[in-house]
Amino acid sequence: MNILDKIVIDKRKEVDLKKQLIPIEVFENTPFFNHKTISLSKKLRSSNTGIIAEFKRKSPSKSVINNTASVKDVAIGYELAGVCGMSVLTDEIYFGGTLDDLITAREHCNLPLLRKEFIIDEYQILEAKAFGADAILLIAAILTRAEIKQFSELAKSLKLDVLLEVHNEAELQKSIMPSLDLLGVNNRNLKTFELSLETSKSLSKLIPDDFVKVSESGISSIEAIKELKPYGYQGFLIGENFMKTDNPGASATEFIKSLL
């Protein structure tokens, strides 16, 4: 059993408990449920940097990354830095995140917000909209093709962008469908945690141009982005590189200045 399998087992328990405690009607009556979303895919298509900056306290591979940063300060800092979007981890057990982080980010910036979560139930998509998300992440490795279709179509009906994450060709081939906006290639091998940009390079030619191509994990240098742009990538998800510093917003500012 790899780490993703363990996360999904815990996530199913968590979602089942939440469904007993908080009915969907509560989400539908929140102020943010009907807010006008900001399209992450459109922002990336018109950007010359493509940076999606992440708020992440810890991860299974690195343990604690930054447990003192304030979501409010980071959200404001990322927006001032000129990033295209902000990814907010909402998994508590493995990543130290909460839905409060998402709503705090929404209250303090006008960036497209991606809820980065292990989505295994429609309930979490409604929850994402209620807490201010503009986009959701779906992970091909933990979903069937039917689930990807079901979840992405629900997200589209809520005006949420959908980023579908794949790790290999098999996941990509089962996932391509019109209800997706962005296709993300994770450069991290889930079994070994090794990183390789070759994953993004090799899968790039299999991703139709209808989708915004996003490279995830291991993007820690200007060189990596310059290396991947010729392969058609318009989005670059960067988390640890900014979050491991004392001031993620300032770190993102310097990074983007160097990139331009």
Side-chain angles (χ1 to χ4, degrees):
M1 184 186 292
N2 64 33
I3 187 66
L4 200 52
D5 296 330
K6 291 177 185 172
I7 290 172
V8 170
I9 289 169
D10 285 330
K11 191 58 60 179
R12 290 197 188 282
K13 292 175 187 170
E14 178 189 313
V15 174
D16 286 346
L17 179 61
K18 277 187 175 181
K19 286 165 86 170
Q20 292 173 39
L21 298 172
I22 308 169
I24 284 168
E25 292 74 29
V26 172
F27 298 146
E28 292 170 342
N29 290 311
T30 60
F32 285 124
F33 196 78
N34 293 309
H35 87 282
K36 190 176 187 309
T37 52
I38 311 162
S39 172
L40 177 61
S41 57
K42 285 181 182 172
K43 198 90 183 274
L44 289 172
R45 282 192 191 279
S46 61
S47 168
N48 55 358
T49 63
I51 305 297
I52 305 167
E54 196 153 82
F55 184 87
K56 175 165 63 176
R57 291 188 179 87
K58 65 178 186 177
S59 74
S61 61
K62 296 279 182 174
S63 66
V64 174
I65 297 165
N66 188 332
N67 57 8
T68 59
S70 135
V71 185
K72 174 185 172 182
D73 291 345
V74 173
I76 292 169
Y78 280 164
E79 186 165 25
L80 289 172
V83 305
C84 290
M86 180 174 176
S87 166
V88 182
L89 262 297
T90 59
D91 173 78
E92 188 163 3
I93 298 173
Y94 295 91
F95 290 87
T98 69
L99 278 161
D100 284 344
D101 293 338
L102 185 61
I103 212 159
T104 299
R106 175 76 294 144
E107 288 168 344
H108 290 97
C109 76
N110 290 309
L111 293 167
L113 295 182
L114 168 70
R115 182 189 185 186
K116 199 169 184 195
E117 181 57 272
F118 300 87
I119 289 178
I120 42 87
D121 194 291
E122 287 189 341
Y123 182 89
Q124 294 163 285
I125 300 169
L126 296 164
E127 189 178 54
K129 184 68 190 283
F131 278 80
D134 300 290
I136 60 160
L137 173 74
L138 296 180
I139 302 172
I142 62 174
L143 301 170
T144 63
R145 180 173 175 82
E147 286 171 328
I148 293 167
K149 185 174 189 294
Q150 175 191 349
F151 295 165
S152 57
E153 287 178 353
L154 171 61
K156 296 315 295 173
S157 75
L158 296 170
K159 304 290 189 285
L160 295 169
D161 271 10
V162 181
L163 168 61
L164 191 284
E165 175 182 296
V166 300
H167 298 86
N168 54 47
E169 185 176 345
E171 290 176 7
L172 178 61
Q173 296 297 5
K174 81 169 183 184
S175 307
I176 292 176
M177 57 188 73
S179 45
L180 306 175
D181 302 284
L182 312 100
L183 271 163
V185 178
N186 193 324
N187 299 305
R188 189 184 299 281
N189 183 311
L190 290 176
K191 293 176 181 170
T192 64
F193 283 112
E194 288 176 0
L195 288 163
S196 173
L197 295 185
E198 294 307 314
T199 309
S200 282
K201 292 177 184 178
S202 64
L203 293 183
S204 66
K205 60 184 180 294
L206 304 174
I207 301 174
D209 291 335
D210 307 0
F211 308 102
V212 175
K213 296 179 192 178
V214 179
S215 187
E216 310 171 25
S217 297
I219 313 291
S220 58
S221 67
I222 304 296
E223 290 68 36
I225 291 177
K226 289 181 175 174
E227 208 176 311
L228 290 171
K229 278 199 169 184
Y231 290 86
Y233 285 93
Q234 293 174 289
F236 306 92
L237 185 64
I238 301 177
E240 188 187 323
N241 198 51
F242 300 148
M243 285 302 298
K244 68 184 179 184
T245 66
D246 293 335
N247 188 330
S251 176
T253 299
E254 288 308 309
F255 191 92
I256 288 171
K257 276 182 186 171
S258 302
L259 186 59
L260 292 172

